Amino acid sequence: MSREEQMIEYMVQDLVEILSETSGMEYDFAMKIIYSSEVYDKLMDPGTGLYRESPAYVYGLLQDELNFGHIVQAEL
């Protein structure tokens, strides 16, 4: 397993845990939500570099996707 793959795996685990804890949903249901998300697709593409961001940042993107139906990234 490459370093990038390992970091992606840890990020997914962190996202599942955060989503499960903050929403009170079952762990399995949180996994289904994440695995079917646009954020997950972007995370799985090492070219995006999303796996290098903090779990809190990526979770924010996931929350935007869940709330608005797509990833919302504010311009600086």
Side-chain angles (χ1 to χ4, degrees):
M1 178 180 293
S2 72
R3 179 166 172 79
E4 288 87 6
E5 291 170 333
Q6 188 175 25
M7 290 176 72
I8 290 168
E9 185 174 322
Y10 288 148
M11 178 68 76
V12 170
Q13 290 174 0
D14 288 345
L15 293 174
V16 170
E17 187 173 325
I18 293 168
L19 182 59
S20 179
E21 287 178 1
T22 60
S23 67
M25 68 178 60
E26 294 291 324
Y27 198 82
D28 291 346
F29 189 66
M31 286 175 57
K32 287 179 185 179
I33 288 174
I34 290 170
Y35 288 136
S36 64
S37 70
E38 183 181 348
V39 168
Y40 179 77
D41 292 340
K42 301 282 186 200
L43 190 57
M44 293 306 292
D45 179 3
T48 66
L50 192 57
Y51 68 93
R52 288 181 266 173
E53 298 292 342
S54 72
Y57 175 79
V58 179
Y59 181 70
L61 295 176
L62 179 65
Q63 283 300 104
D64 287 344
E65 181 180 351
L66 295 174
N67 291 331
F68 304 112
H70 56 88
I71 296 173
V72 177
Q73 197 167 10
E75 296 295 325
L76 299 177

